[in-house]
Amino acid sequence: MTSDDALDHDRLRAAGLDPAVAEDLVARARRAVEDAGLPGAQLAVAREGEVVLDVAFGDATPSDRIVIFSCSKAIVAAAIWRLLGDGRLELDAPVADVLDGFGANGKEAITAHHLLTHTGGFPHAPMGPQDWGDQASRRARMASWRTTFEPGTHFEYHPTAGHWVLGALLEELTGTDLPTALRDLVLDPLGLDDLRLGATASHPATARPVQIVGERPTAEAMEAALGMRLDLDELLGEVTDDAKVMISEQPALDVGIPGGGGVATASALALLYQAFLHNPSGLWDPAWLHEGTAVVHCDLPEPLLGHPSLRTLGLILAGDDGKANMRGFAGTGSPRAFGHNGAGGQIAWADPDSGLSFTFLTDGHDRDLLREWRRSPALSNRAAKLTDADADAATATDAGSS
């Protein structure tokens, strides 16, 4: 379905969704794309294991793959849950027991638990193109890293560093390269051909290149919106415009940066989250799937704004403290919603209460962070309301005119 096609109201009603809310959701997304000058975007909603809304905007089509940035962390977490379930990995055992040399420079106590909850102590450890294309170079770089705080004592988001180590664990414990391990453990069993992290011979990791649009908000505008002065360069850290463009280029996509180099269609990512809700064919040990999607393993405060981080084993929970929108969720959804967003305004979440999963992806990264931050909750709030009313009753008038 493209942005010019009428929505299938009968299909929406059959899935228990309100067509009027769906129309509003799509209209808000279209307006956001046009206002920001985004080259392309996709939106998908799934329920009961099926995609029921799949819309593209701009010059994108629903079948185009888009770089999903930190939404990629869900793929890695899903593979780690498999290893925890079959006993190949121990959550609280030192990583250095598996990866020779990793424990150097004070890292001997770091565990997979620390890595999955962003409490490992090395949030900004460097890994650049000169190292990431070769396993030996990656391992040497990881061995050289030093911690900046004691593992487990502090939460600070690790944009990529922790997931390089999780990727190395997956390689070591499966005996294969990371892209193949992810396909074998998660993507192939779920039939998700359009969800990829790194290239394999049968699944090239191609995607629409990232384009940077818009202008940065002024310091005064940021302060007026947030009530505090922020240094944007410090806020963005390693996730700069140049870095986002580079991650979308083919050499980086082929490697598959574990913390942010995945590519997907919106529908494929929505189906991954449906799998988290329904565990088809018992792919995951139910206990570990529960730990990954429903149990808070870290509630240490987020350093910038101070709200609890609410990290599961690899994902984030919305929570019931009124801060769900700060964690990338709908303020109108349930506290049990879980997911992980990505740089540039990528959205991915599922809500066990409604059975919905929702994704929004775009290849246009807006320098105007305030505009992006307004867009994400506006879309998620509308998506979460799709099941608020009985679809048949709520759309009776609408059905008569469609």
Side-chain angles (χ1 to χ4, degrees):
M1 179 182 293
T2 70
S3 58
D4 296 324
D5 293 332
L7 302 188
D8 187 338
H9 288 196
D10 289 340
R11 186 180 186 190
L12 292 166
R13 289 190 199 93
L17 308 186
D18 186 338
V21 178
E23 293 281 4
D24 183 47
L25 169 63
V26 171
R28 180 62 179 85
R30 183 181 297 113
R31 186 165 70 251
V33 169
E34 293 171 351
D35 288 350
L38 305 178
Q42 300 169 342
L43 175 156
V45 176
R47 198 179 196 197
E48 296 297 332
E50 299 289 339
V51 174
V52 294
L53 183 62
D54 189 11
V55 186
F57 308 90
D59 64 4
T61 71
S63 61
D64 289 335
R65 285 186 293 274
I66 293 174
V67 185
I68 62 176
F69 290 91
S70 283
C71 296
S72 309
K73 291 178 169 68
I75 310 171
V76 174
I80 291 291
W81 302 338
R82 292 287 317 274
L83 298 188
L84 291 167
D86 65 20
R88 280 185 279 180
L89 177 65
E90 294 184 25
L91 183 64
D92 294 313
V95 170
D97 289 354
V98 178
L99 300 181
D100 289 342
F102 177 76
N105 299 317
K107 302 191 300 300
E108 64 278 354
I110 293 172
T111 67
H113 187 276
H114 294 137
L115 301 175
L116 289 164
T117 59
H118 299 264
T119 59
F122 52 102
H124 308 296
M127 178 77 75
Q130 70 275 13
D131 297 312
W132 68 32
D134 172 77
Q135 185 186 86
S137 298
R138 292 194 297 270
R139 298 285 184 93
R141 174 59 71 182
M142 284 185 266
S144 75
W145 290 345
R146 298 176 182 275
T147 58
T148 56
F149 60 84
E150 182 182 348
T153 63
H154 176 68
F155 170 85
E156 187 169 353
Y157 185 61
H158 292 47
T160 58
H163 279 67
W164 281 116
V165 186
L166 289 169
L169 285 172
L170 284 162
E171 290 181 328
E172 187 71 20
L173 293 171
T174 62
T176 188
D177 61 272
L178 179 62
T180 300
L182 295 173
R183 295 225 65 84
D184 290 347
L185 290 168
V186 178
L187 303 178
D188 284 349
L190 296 176
L192 295 176
D193 287 345
D194 281 325
L195 185 53
R196 307 176 185 188
L197 203 163
T200 65
S202 57
H203 292 84
T206 53
R208 290 170 62 93
V210 163
Q211 298 183 48
I212 307 298
V213 302
E215 299 297 333
R216 277 190 173 190
T218 64
E220 292 73 21
M222 292 287 289
E223 184 174 13
L226 300 176
M228 66 176 71
R229 279 268 177 180
L230 286 180
D231 182 328
L232 274 181
D233 290 326
E234 181 179 349
L235 175 66
L236 295 172
E238 67 189 78
V239 191
T240 64
D241 291 345
D242 288 345
K244 289 189 287 188
V245 170
M246 179 180 65
I247 286 172
S248 77
E249 293 172 343
Q250 204 56 55
L253 294 182
D254 287 343
V255 169
I257 297 169
V263 303
T265 62
S267 59
L269 191 53
L271 288 174
L272 176 67
Y273 275 84
Q274 284 294 302
F276 294 160
L277 289 174
H278 299 291
N279 197 12
S281 302
L283 183 63
W284 294 280
D285 180 298
W288 286 111
L289 181 60
H290 182 71
E291 297 292 328
T293 60
V295 177
V296 172
H297 280 258
C298 175
D299 62 359
L300 293 167
E302 194 277 338
L304 182 62
L305 299 177
H307 56 272
S309 48
L310 300 193
R311 291 277 168 167
T312 71
L313 293 182
L315 300 177
I316 312 168
L317 286 182
D320 60 1
D321 59 358
K323 307 293 185 183
N325 61 327
M326 293 184 178
R327 302 185 185 100
F329 297 94
T332 55
S334 83
R336 297 201 301 147
F338 59 86
H340 207 298
N341 56 9
Q346 321 309 317
I347 303 170
W349 53 256
D351 189 335
D353 285 8
S354 67
L356 292 175
S357 57
F358 173 65
T359 55
F360 176 84
L361 305 177
T362 178
D363 58 353
H365 288 228
D366 195 351
R367 290 189 185 93
D368 188 339
L369 291 180
L370 293 178
R371 182 162 55 195
E372 177 193 311
W373 292 345
R374 288 190 296 268
R375 178 183 76 212
S376 294
L379 295 178
S380 285
N381 285 340
R382 285 164 170 80
K385 292 179 180 178
L386 283 164
T387 59
D388 272 359
D390 181 275
D392 291 330
T395 61
T397 302
D398 177 70
S401 61
S402 61

